[in-house]
Structures are given as structure tokens and as C-alpha cells.
Amino acid sequence: MHDLLISGGRVIDGTGSPWYWADIAIDGDQIVAVGSIRGGAARKTIDADGRIVSPGFIDMHTHSDLQPLVNPYHECKLYQGVTTDVIGHDGLGLAPATPETRDILSEQLAAWNGLPDFDRDWSTLTEYLDRFDGGSVVNVATLASQGTVRMAVVGMENREPTDAEMARMKAIIDQCMREGAIGLSTGLTYAPCMFASDDELVELCQVIQPYGGFYCPHHRNYGTEALKGYWDSIEIGRRAGVPTHLTHCHLSFEINEGRVGELIAMIDEARAAGVEVTMDAYPYLAGQTYLHAFLPSWAQEGGADAILESLQAEESRARLRHELEVTGSDGMQGVPLGWEMLRIGGILGDHDPAIIGMSLPDAATRAGKTPFDFFADLLVETRLGVSGLAFFGIEEHVQAIMRHPAHVVGSDGILVGGQPHPRGWGAHARFLSRYVRDLALLSWEEGIRKITSAPARRIGSLDRGIVRPGCKADIVVFDPDELRATATYDNPRSHAEGVSDVIVNGAQALADGQVTGATPGRALRDPYGRRHERHSSF
């Protein structure tokens, strides 16, 4: 007798092949049979009744480093059919950690992760990942985070590492890979990631090469020098001998309008030359990050206290205003900051909640201040605890990138704040309902490949992302006509509709549209079948 039988579904198996009618039998955490097995006995049967049955969706870029532990049912993703989140992005993951870096990261990333009353007493990557085993409804796979490692060894200083420091950083990254990290991320517009040279990054990436890891850059410039930023990222991967995965790959701002063909040609040229390049993108025109990310690098050296000092001292404050509004800071990709682009997403601490969701100019007018003064004062008053949405995308570019066969979907979702970006609650549902179904930009088979087997292959989880006997039983059942993202910029925490059942590691996490309370997720830390090792200290 099988543990679970899904009968009468239109199976889209994740490979890109045409759909077919089939039943799926599951025992334990594995798919054991696919075909006409309606007569087979099972302890539980799900009647798919003609709906689509596919592998569980993989979110290739998330900021779920903490929230699935704080809220184990992770409904924002579960209702979309997401069964795996990839974490550790933008060079600033939460592990490994020392007491000093734990506090710095907590403060710096408060606008990404919040400040919940949650015990973060882990030091190694293993200790951190152990929290997810049975403690979350979704699986997670993590990247090693270059900025987190640099912070532990070099601190927040803008300088080259010494030979001893470089050796120490390489040893930590090697340890992370042996403990199950899937690659190396960086965030080259965030401190302290931004203080690393390309040569330093090549040397660090060479550490991950023997483990089959990939380089995952948030590169140095998405504005005036966006194409150079992408090329430099591809070159780092080529020089290090590792694949490059271009995270939240977009070509935005008016200065880049009409140039997406150049980006695609660059990627195709690299792939034709034997350089493995893939990319993820979210199906929205706005981005989101913490607001102090837009400050220039000179103001971010030294950490939070140094930033706050720069925001308050008369001379540096005047310099900040000029760089943000006139010349364009490196934190703003070299583009002068049009304040009308920004919308306040979330604020930590005791502050006027009425401004959440307002455009920054409107909030400034309400406070009787100029946009810059309001921006600077808000960062000081909240001790940098503010996130914001930035509207700079170009729809034609989003669609062009989405069509590329090397593209997969990543939400880049931040799940905290009074009014966060809707992509954490809707990216995968919006991708399938708007771009696959409504606009017919892709077939259902190709669209599902981009959120199942393609990201599974990228992260090295080759036993997921495909409906096939012997693969792990991460399965989604949904109605293609009813699927939709209900989350909006004004109402971002609205759950997706149309997904009826979600199976994670063989356990039913969503049953007939209802959360079951099961937390069968686990840390995926053995990519390509390599053995992960445990370590007792940082």
C-alpha cells in the first residue's frame, strides 16, 4: 500500500516535455511510480481532477534566511506552491557567525529579516541549517556569503585583505562548502562586500570550484555601468573556472532603455564560448532593499555607527545630498536618485506608521522637510531600520530576460515591514498566471521547467524538480485557470490563489487549500551527492 496517491492529474513533469495524464504514487519522501495506477491502494488519495500536477516550485533568490524559522508554515510561499527557498544571497547570510558579526548582521539586515525575539545562537553553517530540518514547511538551500565571511575576518574596513586574512577567508568558505553550501554569493553594492576587488573574488571563487559550486553575484552597478557589471561578473566566473548565476538579473533605469538585447547577446556569447551563465529575475518592475543601501560606499565604511555619523555631520551630509541628487552615488548605481522612485516599505521601532506605503516625497512633505532631509533623518531616527521599494523597471526588458532559456524565477522577496514588496507573496503565481497563461510568453511546460528542474539543476539538487520515480516527492497540484497572485503594492501580504495541494518530502503541507501544520522541510546540503561535514566552531 502506498502512502499517498495523486490521481487523475495532467502531469507537467518539469523537464519541458509535453504534459500527460498520469497518477503519482509516493512512499516516504520519494516518488515511486508514475503512470496509470488508479487501482493501487493508498493510505491517502488526492483526486487532482484534471488539474496540473507538477514538481514543487523553487524560489532561486529569497531573503528567507530567518522568517521560515520564525513562521514555520511560511504561508506566503506555500500558497504559491514553493517547496524550496534558496537563501544566503547578496553576500550577507546569517551564518557562519561570531558574536560580533551576529550583532552587526542583525542590525544591518534588520530591514530584510526584522528583529524578532528569536534565538540566533548558531556559529557554524551546520548549526544554522539544523534549525530548518523539521522546523520549516519548505526546504532551504544556502549559498556561502562573501560579505559575511569578510566581515568576520577583515571587518567593515575598505582595504585589501592581508595574505593571512585571505587565507582565513578561503578556509571559512571551504568549511561552508564542506558543510553543504551550494556556491558563493556577493552583494557588491553592500558593505563590506563592495570593498572586495575582482581579483579577491576570483581567488575566493576558486575555493568553491572543487565542490561544483557557482558564483552568484549582486554586481557593482545596475545603472550607468550595468552592462559592465554583468560582464565583470561573467569574467570572475570564467577566471575562477566556476559557473556564474546572475541574480535578480534586470536592466533598469531610463539610461538603459532599449539595451536588453546587448545583455542577452553578452550572455549568449559567453555561453557559446563555454562559460556557464544562468540568471534569475522577478516578474515585477520595482525592487526593494534597505534604504541605506543607496548611500555611497565611503559613507558605509565602518558600519552602522559610521553611517549614522555621516548622516548627521554637516559637511558629510552636504556631500551625501550632492552625490545622491546630482552626481549619483555608487550605492545608487551612479544614477542621480529621483526621490519619486522610492516608496517606504517598512520601519523598525516606534515611528509614525502613517508614512508606511507612502512615496518618499509625500512622506517628506507630510513632515515639512525636503526629500533628502527626510531620508537622512529617518535613517538616523530608526538606526537604519527602513526598507524601501524602488520603481525603476522596464517591462519590455523583464519579458525579454524571461524568454531566455537560461532564466529561472527568483522572488528576491523581503517578508518583513509594514508594506513590503508583493513579490514575496506572488512572484511564482504571477509568473505563471500573467506571463505564461495570460500573455502566452512561454508554454506551460517551459514556464514550469523554469521554476522546477532548471533551478534544481543550478543548485545541485538533482533528485528534485522532476516528476519521476526515485525523485523526492515535492509536488504541487493547481488549477491553471484559477491560479493568480492577489498580492499588490498596496496589499502585499495577500496569498496567492489556485494552488490546492502541496507535498514537501512526501508530507502534505497544503491540503485542499488548507495549511496542515506539517513542517517537513529540510536543509538541502548534499548537492551532487557529496558528503557534508560538521564543524564545532567558527
Side-chain angles (χ1 to χ4, degrees):
M1 177 177 291
H2 297 300
D3 291 335
L4 180 63
L5 182 67
I6 304 172
S7 66
R10 285 183 288 165
V11 174
I12 298 182
D13 66 9
T15 66
S17 299
W19 71 267
Y20 54 90
W21 291 103
D23 309 319
I24 300 170
I26 296 168
D27 288 338
D29 66 353
Q30 286 195 337
I31 299 168
V32 295
V34 179
S36 181
I37 48 179
R38 286 177 178 268
R43 293 178 178 84
K44 181 174 177 57
T45 299
I46 297 172
D47 182 4
D49 193 25
R51 287 166 290 175
I52 288 176
V53 182
S54 80
F57 306 153
I58 296 173
D59 191 338
M60 191 64 197
H61 184 127
T62 82
H63 291 284
S64 299
D65 302 74
L66 190 59
Q67 287 304 307
L69 299 176
V70 175
N71 176 21
Y73 303 144
H74 209 38
E75 294 95 339
C76 60
K77 298 297 182 69
L78 191 60
Y79 278 106
Q80 293 183 73
V82 172
T83 57
T84 299
D85 274 356
V86 182
I87 61 176
H89 278 282
D90 296 333
L92 293 166
L94 297 181
T98 67
E100 294 77 18
T101 60
R102 187 179 297 117
D103 291 342
I104 294 170
L105 285 164
S106 178
E107 183 172 53
Q108 181 171 341
L109 302 181
W112 286 0
N113 299 317
L115 286 172
D117 183 14
F118 187 82
D119 184 3
R120 309 185 199 195
D121 63 351
W122 56 77
S123 57
T124 67
L125 194 69
T126 290
E127 291 168 348
Y128 171 56
L129 292 178
D130 282 348
R131 297 290 191 94
F132 290 94
D133 289 336
S136 168
V137 73
V138 298
N139 305 309
V140 299
T142 190
L143 293 147
S145 303
Q146 172 259 335
T148 299
V149 174
R150 200 179 207 273
M151 187 184 297
V153 177
V154 184
M156 298 297 287
E157 299 178 39
N158 183 2
R159 62 172 176 82
E160 292 185 7
T162 66
D163 290 346
E165 288 169 337
M166 177 60 80
R168 179 62 177 145
M169 287 194 291
K170 291 166 71 173
I172 295 172
I173 292 170
D174 184 78
Q175 175 178 324
C176 288
M177 297 304 292
R178 284 185 281 124
E179 293 189 52
I182 58 175
L184 181 68
S185 79
T186 190
L188 298 177
T189 64
Y190 300 126
C193 308
M194 60 172 59
F195 304 141
S197 68
D198 286 3
D199 288 343
E200 179 180 328
L201 295 170
V202 169
E203 193 167 346
L204 296 178
C205 281
Q206 288 171 342
V207 176
I208 70 175
Q209 195 275 339
Y211 299 97
F214 61 95
Y215 176 51
C216 189
H218 167 133
H219 62 70
R220 296 190 194 280
N221 191 298
Y222 289 85
T224 56
E225 297 184 2
L227 292 174
K228 181 180 185 301
Y230 284 118
W231 180 251
D232 290 346
S233 296
I234 293 169
E235 273 293 286
I236 288 168
R238 184 193 65 78
R239 290 171 60 195
V242 299
T244 296
H245 181 80
L246 303 171
T247 196
H248 45 52
C249 181
H250 60 83
L251 199 61
S252 300
F253 301 105
E254 186 177 353
I255 193 171
N256 291 313
E257 191 161 4
R259 302 191 69 187
V260 71
E262 297 176 54
L263 172 59
I264 290 172
M266 180 189 301
I267 292 168
D268 288 342
E269 178 185 345
R271 290 184 61 85
V275 182
E276 186 179 348
V277 182
T278 54
M279 55 190 162
D280 66 67
Y282 47 80
Y284 295 88
L285 300 187
Q288 184 181 12
T289 189
Y290 49 78
L291 281 189
H292 63 282
F294 300 126
L295 296 172
S297 56
W298 62 262
Q300 300 196 51
E301 183 179 358
D305 290 337
I307 295 173
L308 294 170
E309 183 177 345
S310 296
L311 288 166
Q312 295 175 86
E314 183 177 350
E315 183 177 349
S316 57
R317 188 170 171 120
R319 181 183 174 189
L320 286 171
R321 182 194 300 268
H322 182 75
E323 291 192 20
L324 287 171
E325 295 185 342
V326 180
T327 63
S329 78
D330 51 359
M332 189 52 192
Q333 328 300 317
V335 177
L337 181 55
W339 296 109
E340 69 280 357
M341 293 180 185
L342 299 185
R343 179 171 175 170
I344 297 169
I347 302 176
L348 294 177
D350 185 17
H351 205 281
D352 182 3
I355 67 172
I356 295 174
M358 294 179 69
S359 72
L360 195 137
D362 286 348
T365 298
R366 187 175 187 273
K369 298 180 180 180
T370 67
F372 172 79
D373 287 329
F374 178 80
F375 168 84
D377 292 345
L378 183 62
L379 289 176
V380 172
E381 292 163 9
T382 62
R383 196 170 172 81
L384 310 180
V386 188
S387 67
L389 281 67
F391 291 81
F392 46 46
I394 301 168
E395 177 66 20
E396 293 79 6
H397 291 190
V398 170
Q399 293 190 21
I401 290 169
M402 200 176 283
R403 289 189 188 98
H404 197 282
H407 159 269
V408 301
V409 177
S411 70
D412 198 8
I414 294 172
L415 306 177
V416 301
Q419 198 158 314
H421 198 300
R423 61 194 181 188
W425 286 258
H428 286 70
R430 176 177 168 84
F431 170 71
L432 289 178
S433 62
R434 173 171 168 75
Y435 293 97
V436 173
R437 182 189 64 208
D438 297 345
L439 298 181
L441 203 66
L442 304 159
S443 68
W444 278 104
E445 289 84 353
E446 176 63 4
I448 287 177
R449 184 191 70 82
K450 285 175 173 285
I451 57 177
T452 57
S453 68
R457 178 170 294 277
R458 175 70 290 155
I459 67 175
S461 292
L462 302 185
D463 57 353
R464 297 179 195 271
I466 297 177
V467 175
R468 182 178 295 165
C471 287
K472 296 298 184 185
D474 292 350
I475 303 287
V476 178
V477 181
F478 68 94
D479 186 327
D481 297 322
E482 297 298 323
L483 183 68
R484 69 187 187 105
T486 67
T488 65
Y489 291 112
D490 292 325
N491 184 26
R493 285 188 166 87
S494 182
H495 293 306
E497 297 177 352
V499 173
S500 60
D501 298 270
V502 178
I503 314 300
V504 182
N505 295 314
Q508 196 165 10
L510 193 72
D512 197 22
Q514 301 298 312
V515 176
T516 67
T519 55
R522 62 184 65 154
L524 308 182
R525 46 187 155 187
D526 199 22
Y528 299 109
R530 62 172 199 247
R531 179 175 60 89
H532 73 274
E533 298 181 10
R534 292 176 173 265
H535 292 262
S536 60
S537 64
F538 185 78

